[in-house]
Amino acid sequence: MEVEVAAQERCTWSLLKIFFGTPRADQFELASWVEQNGTVLFAGEDGSGLSPAALSDLESQEQPEASRAYWDTLQVGYLDWELRLVSLGWVSEALYVLGMHSHWAAWSSALGSQLGLESSLRRLDAVASLLRCFPRLAPQGLPADVPGQALQGADEFLEYRARWQAQCAALLRDEALWAGGGDDAASCREVVRCMAGEQPDADAAARTWLELLVSRLLSEHAVIGRQADLLQLLRTCVAARPPGGADDSQQRYLSLFVAGCRLDAQAALQLCSDGTSWLAAHAADALAAHAAGTRLASSELEFYECAQPEFYRLAASASLAPHDPTLSVAENYLAWCPRSGEFALRHLFRRTGGPQLRLPAALRGVVGKQDVKGSVEGASR
């Protein structure tokens, strides 16, 4: 359970940074966020994911491509085994699944040249070659293990993507390549249509509003313009793929997306406050540092006589102080509380017999030896 909570909070925190920690949300950051957090984001989707058992079943088959699940995986596979959508740009995993095709192993066998697999392998090799050239807007370059073509700016990206999609379209028009391939060729062709950006095929591949959103961002946009444009696209995708199911995580992340598109720091903080005190405390600081969240730090909460960032730091300290292993962390949170930190630290000393505690550097000049002595004497009476 703790591992699940940590994964959910990491997912929330990283999305918060995309909207409030950068000048403008970037669709490749959003695609990467979905990829890195797929297990959390799609955990509640009924029947839309590929389970470990299903993947194991595919790998154990002599001809995995004979199963519809194989081609569905290439188009819409994801989740526990981190298979990613071609339409979402998860190229490494798509290449892995493509490599499971039985014709590769058959061709390498002694009888490979006698099985008439040349046309099938030409198709598979053509698809794999195009995937390795997948366009990515990456001004800082790509890691060595990430396939694709790194483009430096929006104009360069648009030009390259147009050429790349034209190559995909040309491959689709090569009737000789697809002739006589049966269902296998037809399924492979559907994958190429997704790569070519043919809207009906790309939309059909997406099973959730989030997949549809990222797919359209990658296939139709170079950079996200105004946040309002992203919000409008988000609403279109939600209308086409409404969140559902018993799990409310999709609705929670949708609400966070809306808050991010609107740069509504207060709404984002309210959503984060439903998580652990750690998430709320750090989210409050991050949001208050953004231009849209200046009021969080400048206006005091009624009855608490402190701003929201300090309120959530105090809450984090209160949750940590009762446990000896995290007591020192609780002290450090109090060091960030200019209004109430001194009082809270004195209270903490009275409870723990404070002389053995090491004061945080930020409070050593505030709480003197006499204060500590008085607190201890008060605790002994």
Side-chain angles (χ1 to χ4, degrees):
M1 185 64 180
E2 292 181 359
V3 174
E4 293 178 4
V5 171
Q8 291 169 359
E9 300 221 326
R10 182 171 59 249
C11 181
T12 301
W13 175 251
S14 54
L15 181 61
L16 200 69
K17 289 198 298 182
I18 290 176
F19 282 108
F20 294 95
T22 58
R24 180 173 54 190
D26 177 272
Q27 71 266 47
F28 288 91
E29 287 184 317
L30 291 173
S32 177
W33 173 75
V34 174
E35 180 177 3
Q36 294 169 8
N37 298 282
T39 303
V40 173
L41 294 171
F42 302 119
E45 293 299 318
D46 296 330
S48 62
L50 189 66
S51 67
L55 179 60
S56 178
D57 181 60
L58 278 180
E59 291 177 325
S60 65
Q61 294 179 25
E62 292 185 6
Q63 293 182 314
E65 69 278 1
S67 168
R68 182 63 209 175
Y70 174 87
W71 296 105
D72 286 346
T73 296
L74 278 176
Q75 287 184 276
V76 294
Y78 42 70
L79 299 183
D80 298 330
W81 281 87
E82 299 183 1
L83 297 173
R84 302 299 186 250
L85 310 179
V86 167
S87 59
L88 292 182
W90 297 343
V91 179
S92 297
E93 292 79 5
L95 287 169
Y96 171 76
V97 176
L98 198 66
M100 291 170 58
H101 201 291
S102 65
H103 288 182
W104 297 110
W107 179 257
S108 63
S109 68
L111 299 177
S113 60
Q114 303 176 24
L115 298 177
L117 303 179
E118 291 87 350
S119 60
S120 175
L121 290 176
R122 280 200 300 270
R123 286 192 295 269
L124 293 173
D125 186 60
V127 174
S129 297
L130 285 170
L131 281 173
R132 293 189 186 98
C133 299
F134 190 89
R136 297 181 183 274
L137 185 61
Q140 306 303 320
L142 293 173
D145 59 342
V146 176
Q149 178 65 44
L151 290 314
Q152 301 300 310
D155 292 339
E156 183 184 9
F157 173 84
L158 283 173
E159 181 182 353
Y160 178 89
R161 186 179 64 185
R163 295 200 309 268
W164 183 78
Q165 290 184 332
Q167 287 181 310
C168 294
L171 189 66
L172 290 172
R173 294 192 299 269
D174 188 350
E175 296 300 334
L177 183 66
W178 305 104
D183 293 340
D184 187 86
S187 298
C188 188
R189 202 168 188 172
E190 290 178 20
V191 175
V192 180
R193 287 196 180 100
C194 283
M195 295 162 60
E198 294 189 9
Q199 197 62 50
D201 294 276
D203 283 1
R207 297 189 179 182
T208 69
W209 63 268
L210 186 53
E211 294 168 21
L212 185 58
L213 173 67
V214 177
S215 176
R216 289 192 176 182
L217 285 173
L218 290 179
S219 63
E220 300 175 14
H221 299 263
V223 293
I224 297 174
R226 299 177 303 164
Q227 298 291 84
D229 296 333
L230 178 58
L231 181 59
Q232 182 58 45
L233 179 59
L234 174 64
R235 288 171 173 164
T236 301
C237 295
V238 170
R241 302 286 190 278
D247 184 16
D248 64 350
S249 61
Q250 286 281 324
Q251 185 60 54
R252 183 171 62 254
Y253 290 116
L254 173 58
S255 298
L256 192 55
F257 254 90
V258 172
C261 290
R262 292 175 172 171
L263 292 180
D264 188 339
Q266 185 63 68
L269 179 56
Q270 184 174 351
L271 290 165
C272 292
S273 67
D274 292 335
T276 66
S277 58
W278 177 93
L279 177 63
H282 289 270
D285 276 330
L287 291 167
H290 191 275
T294 53
R295 290 191 61 187
L296 297 179
S298 61
S299 57
E300 290 189 352
L301 290 171
E302 190 176 2
F303 304 120
Y304 292 102
E305 297 184 351
C306 66
Q308 291 186 68
E310 180 165 344
F311 171 80
Y312 287 110
R313 292 177 205 139
L314 290 169
S317 178
S319 68
L320 295 168
H323 311 286
D324 290 339
T326 56
L327 184 57
S328 61
V329 182
E331 295 178 58
N332 289 328
Y333 274 107
L334 293 179
W336 298 346
C337 301
R339 296 292 298 271
S340 306
E342 178 184 358
F343 174 82
L345 189 62
R346 288 177 179 176
H347 177 77
L348 190 61
F349 282 169
R350 285 197 296 271
R351 186 180 66 80
T352 60
Q356 71 271 24
L357 292 179
R358 180 173 57 84
L359 283 175
L363 289 179
R364 287 174 189 166
V366 178
V367 183
K369 294 181 180 179
Q370 188 62 39
D371 294 323
V372 174
K373 180 180 178 181
S375 298
V376 176
E377 290 175 351
S380 64
R381 287 198 292 268

